[in-house]
Amino acid sequence: MSRKLPPLNALRAFEAAGRHESFSRAADELGVSHSAISRHVRGLEHRLGAQLFRDLPRGVQLTPDGKAYLTRIIPALDVISEATEELEEAPAGQITVSSETLFAQRFLIPRLPDFYKAYPDVEVRLDASQNLADVERYEADLAVRFLISGGVDAPSDLLSNAPLYPYAAPGLIPEGGIAAAELLKFRLLKDRGRNVWQQWCEAAGIGADAITEPRWRMRSTLAIEAVLHGHGIYLGSAECVDMECRMGRLIRCSDVGIRSGSYHLVYGSRGMRRKALRQFRRWLLEQTEPFRETGLSD
């Protein structure tokens, strides 16, 4: 049976431009020029005899025909991609992971060499940002996000709900540790915006009135650098200082910990069709298993 099919490159250009509603972002994703995307899209419109985009003063917008066509095209391209990857012996290709900056810097980057060793044909593009990427529109294939409480209103996995403990550089506190109340004599740093030091004091039996938290909070990545150089005591989650503790650059000052929030891996409804994404998800869940306790509320 003869099928009426447009050129595949034109469909890929239209699908990317339609998801982003931007020729420039589609060009960046596909690694081609803006003019190439425009040429493919205009050629497709001519072939179909339909206007898929309307021009705006700043960019483009899908027309009703364009939205309807995109809705049908995306699943079709997903099926072709899935069928193709099933024939490949090993996962390959590029995946984009949007992550909270602290998690990206302190957890993902130190461990990525192990992933590349296992899957050398997969390229991970890491985008460290506090902004939530829209995985349904493929602004990223996967997103790591921190939630203070509750769950994610999208397909997701719990990565870590590790407790917050106080940490310090080895030379800052006496060998063998000190009493919890003695920690409050040092400069106090943290990786949460809430009054977690007050919560920790309550958990340690010191009393919430023992501390007044400063109004200004150093950004998490800087706070860890500060404590590594002996500037004070850092109250943070275990997964983001795990490497530093393994290397002996930080030590845990107390066995008292508090739970405050959790990291989640967010993916789109169609995201797991690609073999490379499935392998990265499986790998990340294995890496975060020591920091995950199920059945607990935040």
Side-chain angles (χ1 to χ4, degrees):
M1 181 181 66
S2 177
R3 290 182 173 87
K4 188 175 183 180
L5 298 175
L8 179 59
N9 283 341
L11 291 178
R12 293 180 66 217
F14 163 70
E15 188 263 352
R19 279 190 284 104
H20 296 298
E21 287 197 303
S22 167
F23 286 5
S24 296
R25 295 179 67 182
D28 290 340
E29 177 182 315
L30 298 180
V32 299
S33 65
H34 181 285
S35 60
I37 296 293
S38 178
R39 184 172 62 254
H40 281 307
V41 169
R42 300 313 176 195
L44 183 61
E45 289 180 325
H46 179 75
R47 184 185 183 98
L48 298 175
Q51 183 180 3
L52 303 175
F53 293 93
R54 62 170 59 95
D55 293 321
L56 299 177
R58 295 183 179 179
V60 293
Q61 183 182 58
L62 283 166
T63 65
D65 284 341
K67 289 182 180 179
Y69 195 50
L70 182 65
T71 300
R72 302 289 296 274
I73 289 299
I74 287 179
L77 292 178
D78 284 343
V79 169
I80 294 172
S81 176
E82 184 179 6
T84 302
E85 286 202 341
E86 287 301 321
L87 295 178
E88 296 177 346
E89 294 183 359
Q94 174 186 297
I95 62 177
T96 301
V97 180
S98 172
S99 174
E100 296 264 349
T101 303
L102 182 66
F103 191 88
Q105 184 180 40
R106 295 294 175 179
F107 191 89
L108 284 176
I109 289 179
R111 290 169 173 79
L112 276 180
D114 291 335
F115 178 80
Y116 288 136
K117 184 177 180 180
Y119 306 104
D121 295 326
V122 178
E123 178 189 355
V124 179
R125 285 192 175 182
L126 190 57
D127 177 22
S129 171
Q130 302 303 112
N131 298 322
L132 181 59
D134 189 341
V135 291
E136 289 293 345
R137 296 183 63 180
Y138 288 89
E139 292 180 351
D141 296 302
L142 301 167
V144 177
R145 286 296 172 261
F146 175 79
L147 294 180
I148 293 177
S149 62
V152 183
D153 189 20
S156 63
D157 297 309
L158 172 65
L159 293 179
S160 171
N161 54 3
L164 278 64
Y165 291 101
Y167 297 91
L172 188 66
I173 62 175
E175 187 175 349
I178 58 178
E182 294 297 308
L183 295 178
L184 305 185
K185 296 179 180 179
F186 295 91
R187 181 176 290 106
L188 302 180
L189 305 167
K190 58 182 179 176
D191 74 350
R192 299 288 191 271
R194 297 189 294 172
N195 294 333
V196 288
W197 269 111
Q198 290 184 348
Q199 296 174 36
W200 185 85
C201 285
E202 293 176 351
I206 300 174
D209 58 348
I211 178 176
T212 300
E213 296 218 15
R215 291 184 178 181
W216 179 77
R217 177 174 68 97
M218 184 183 291
R219 294 183 66 87
S220 302
T221 51
L222 294 179
I224 293 179
E225 288 299 321
V227 78
L228 284 169
H229 288 82
H231 291 191
I233 309 295
Y234 175 73
L235 184 61
S237 54
E239 76 283 324
C240 289
V241 293
D242 180 59
M243 286 294 184
E244 283 74 13
C245 290
R246 288 172 184 251
M247 296 168 63
R249 301 179 66 198
L250 288 179
I251 58 173
R252 201 168 80 182
C253 306
S254 170
D255 291 332
V256 177
I258 59 171
R259 299 190 66 251
S260 177
S262 53
Y263 284 100
H264 297 257
L265 179 67
V266 184
Y267 43 88
S269 57
R270 299 176 302 276
M272 288 302 112
R273 291 194 175 193
R274 293 178 54 201
K275 185 180 292 187
L277 293 179
R278 293 196 299 272
Q279 293 293 358
F280 184 85
R281 174 191 178 221
R282 183 178 298 114
W283 171 82
L284 185 54
L285 288 174
E286 290 174 354
Q287 295 293 315
T288 54
E289 185 176 4
F291 309 101
R292 186 166 54 250
E293 297 180 68
T294 58
L296 299 176
S297 59
D298 294 326

